[in-house]
Amino acid sequence: MILIVMKYTSEKSIQILERTPLVLKTLLDGLEEDWITNNEGPDTFSPYDIIGHLIHGEKTDWRPRAEMIMHFGLSKTFIPYDRFAQYEESRGKSLQQLLTEFTSLRQVNMEWFRGLRLNEGELDKQGNHPGLGQVTLRQLLATWVVHDLTHIAQVGRVMAKQYKEEIGPWSEYFRILHF
Amino acid sequence: MILIVMKYTSEKSIQILERTPLVLKTLLDGLEEDWITNNEGPDTFSPYDIIGHLIHGEKTDWRPRAEMIMHFGLSKTFIPYDRFAQYEESRGKSLQQLLTEFTSLRQVNMEWFRGLRLNEGELDKQGNHPGLGQVTLRQLLATWVVHDLTHIAQVGRVMAKQYKEEIGPWSEYFRILHF
């Protein structure tokens, strides 16, 4: 089969965004601590860190940046995203608390997103990214989806790596364990 | 935080294996066709293909190989795994049918696995892999878990790649899209 790259639509995006909290809850809730808090080595995220990172994105990244594009276009620049904010913000919270927090923040943002009913002209509107320069609202919203999916992928990979030694010679069959 | 590699336990393994069908159902059920059937290019799997591949594994790989180790040790060699069997076996089935089939096959295999109550000596028992040579039952069972998790990761990555063009300059921030 040939690779067919998808065109952005808000419907296809919402289909993913609205389910991410439940996907992560289904994958992580109730697991033993090791599965949740182990990572891939220094300066990498554990599944626990990733949920905090997604929470921070709901509060400070996707919606605020979309609103900045809609209201100010190129006359303002996005606030740089803090990729490590969750180390402070998640402190003292259980995974279950974080999953609940992410679920309700995402739910509110989905109500907002569904209410926008953006047309193609609005999706073409541009904003300023501090590192990437001019970006469109469409690109920002597509990135929100890609960000969810790549973090789901990351959670799977981080967890898989915890058994890297235990699978012995099989590890050569799993390219992803060496990523 | 330092990377701490986990030791195999059957309890930790079952925690993952028993939830995989619901994780994949939550991630995939009800999505538009593009999300399900697009892949990463020639000779790569779509999410739809991956569910068929997991079904084939439940039927022909993990449990039959574990039973071969338990009953025959090194005196037999595993039947090579057909990584492409699902192209034939999934034909004509909907994603929902495949998810249901995977769920029930896995459920039966989990009842079997829980009933084994393997001790360390049994986990050390060896079998012959046609490509890797001598492997232990522990390694086989750990690989079953890693195989689930890496395919969950793969589903996330394959889906993320569908929006690779639509995120524009952001793609440079996502190493995983170039995997």
Side-chain angles (χ1 to χ4, degrees):
Chain A
M1 184 193 281
I2 310 294
L3 176 68
I4 307 152
V5 175
M6 280 170 58
K7 282 285 159 205
Y8 173 89
T9 74
S10 292
E11 292 68 31
K12 282 180 180 168
S13 304
I14 289 168
Q15 286 188 351
I16 304 298
L17 293 167
E18 68 182 3
R19 68 181 61 204
T20 300
L22 189 56
V23 170
L24 290 167
K25 186 175 155 69
T26 307
L27 182 53
L28 297 173
D29 202 21
L31 290 178
E32 280 189 46
E33 201 63 14
D34 287 359
W35 285 124
I36 302 301
T37 57
N38 287 6
N39 60 21
E40 296 177 283
D43 299 321
T44 65
F45 289 178
S46 67
Y48 177 89
D49 296 330
I50 290 167
I51 309 301
H53 171 73
L54 290 166
I55 288 172
H56 192 68
E58 291 307 294
K59 290 186 191 162
T60 69
D61 189 330
W62 312 106
R63 179 172 169 178
R65 287 180 171 193
E67 291 179 321
M68 190 181 280
I69 293 177
M70 290 188 289
H71 300 132
F72 302 101
L74 290 167
S75 68
K76 283 199 178 183
T77 298
F78 304 153
I79 297 162
Y81 186 76
D82 181 357
R83 290 184 55 250
F84 303 103
Q86 72 277 4
Y87 292 138
E88 192 52 46
E89 291 177 3
S90 298
R91 206 181 290 276
K93 294 180 183 165
S94 69
L95 177 77
Q96 213 163 19
Q97 284 176 295
L98 295 180
L99 287 167
T100 302
E101 189 177 350
F102 177 48
T103 302
S104 50
L105 288 166
R106 176 56 62 89
Q107 201 173 347
V108 171
N109 286 340
M110 284 298 98
E111 283 164 28
W112 163 81
F113 189 12
R114 280 197 203 88
L116 294 178
R117 310 182 72 81
L118 299 162
N119 61 39
E120 292 297 310
E122 290 164 321
L123 288 166
D124 284 335
K125 207 167 172 196
Q126 290 187 307
N128 270 315
H129 185 286
L132 298 171
Q134 294 187 10
V135 293
T136 66
L137 180 55
R138 182 185 295 100
Q139 288 167 344
L140 173 72
L141 295 169
T143 304
W144 193 3
V145 175
V146 168
H147 186 263
D148 270 22
L149 291 169
T150 57
H151 280 299
I152 289 169
Q154 184 185 23
V155 168
R157 186 186 70 229
V158 173
M159 292 168 76
K161 280 193 185 175
Q162 305 312 315
Y163 265 180
K164 194 174 166 181
E165 298 304 318
E166 291 295 45
I167 68 175
W170 261 289
S171 87
E172 70 173 76
Y173 286 1
F174 292 91
R175 263 199 320 148
I176 197 173
L177 297 181
H178 310 282
F179 181 79
Chain B
M1 184 194 280
I2 310 293
L3 176 68
I4 307 151
V5 175
M6 282 171 56
K7 282 284 160 207
Y8 173 89
T9 74
S10 292
E11 293 67 31
K12 282 180 181 168
S13 303
I14 288 168
Q15 286 189 352
I16 303 299
L17 293 168
E18 69 182 2
R19 69 180 61 204
T20 300
L22 189 55
V23 171
L24 290 167
K25 186 176 154 70
T26 308
L27 182 53
L28 297 174
D29 202 19
L31 290 178
E32 281 189 44
E33 200 64 13
D34 287 358
W35 285 124
I36 301 303
T37 57
N38 288 6
N39 60 21
E40 296 177 284
D43 299 320
T44 64
F45 288 179
S46 67
Y48 177 88
D49 296 330
I50 290 166
I51 308 304
H53 170 74
L54 290 165
I55 286 171
H56 191 68
E58 290 307 295
K59 290 185 193 164
T60 69
D61 188 333
W62 313 107
R63 180 172 168 178
R65 288 180 171 191
E67 290 179 321
M68 190 181 279
I69 294 176
M70 291 188 289
H71 300 132
F72 301 100
L74 291 167
S75 68
K76 283 200 180 185
T77 299
F78 304 155
I79 296 162
Y81 186 76
D82 180 358
R83 290 184 56 249
F84 303 102
Q86 72 277 3
Y87 293 138
E88 191 52 47
E89 291 177 2
S90 298
R91 205 182 292 276
K93 294 181 183 165
S94 69
L95 177 77
Q96 213 162 19
Q97 284 175 295
L98 295 180
L99 288 166
T100 302
E101 188 177 351
F102 177 48
T103 302
S104 51
L105 287 167
R106 175 58 59 90
Q107 200 173 347
V108 171
N109 285 340
M110 284 299 98
E111 281 164 28
W112 164 79
F113 189 12
R114 280 196 202 88
L116 293 178
R117 311 181 71 81
L118 299 162
N119 62 38
E120 292 298 309
E122 290 165 319
L123 288 166
D124 285 335
K125 205 165 175 200
Q126 291 188 307
N128 270 316
H129 186 285
L132 298 170
Q134 293 187 11
V135 294
T136 66
L137 180 55
R138 182 185 295 100
Q139 288 166 344
L140 173 72
L141 295 169
T143 304
W144 193 4
V145 176
V146 168
H147 185 263
D148 270 22
L149 292 169
T150 57
H151 280 299
I152 290 169
Q154 183 186 22
V155 169
R157 186 186 72 230
V158 173
M159 292 169 76
K161 281 192 186 175
Q162 306 312 316
Y163 264 180
K164 194 173 168 184
E165 298 302 319
E166 291 295 46
I167 68 176
W170 260 289
S171 87
E172 71 173 78
Y173 287 1
F174 292 90
R175 261 200 320 148
I176 196 174
L177 297 181
H178 311 281
F179 182 79

